[in-house]
Amino acid sequence: MGKPTGFLDYKRQENEAIEPLSRITNFNEFHPFLDEETRRKQGARCMNCGVPFCQSAIKLKTWSRVVLYTT
């Protein structure tokens, strides 16, 4: 589980999207990754609520542990 009050302490932050007209010129990712600190804070929002998958289809327990406890 993440930080017990993480969902209250940290606002949800989505990856920004690159504009469609600029992304049709290549095959690069169009949602640039968040920096590591921001990903850790987002992982701390996990409430371990029992829903097996988060919005991006990554297992919550595993993702939360990886983001919070890896160095």
Side-chain angles (χ1 to χ4, degrees):
M1 182 170 135
K3 184 177 177 184
T5 60
F7 69 99
L8 296 172
D9 297 337
Y10 308 118
K11 290 188 174 199
R12 182 178 175 151
Q13 186 171 354
E14 301 278 338
N15 289 8
E16 298 293 323
I18 297 174
E19 293 296 321
L21 289 177
S22 62
R23 69 184 187 211
I24 62 172
T25 62
N26 58 49
F27 292 99
N28 296 338
E29 292 287 333
F30 56 89
H31 289 286
F33 297 115
L34 298 172
D35 61 273
E36 184 175 344
E37 182 63 28
T38 305
R39 288 188 308 230
R40 287 182 185 274
K41 287 180 181 177
Q42 293 302 299
R45 291 175 45 89
C46 174
M47 297 183 299
N48 198 16
C49 61
V51 176
F53 296 97
C54 69
Q55 295 294 328
S56 60
I58 299 172
K59 289 193 176 187
L60 283 174
K61 291 180 185 178
T62 304
W63 187 77
S64 181
R65 286 185 192 129
V66 168
V67 171
L68 284 174
Y69 302 114
T70 57
T71 57

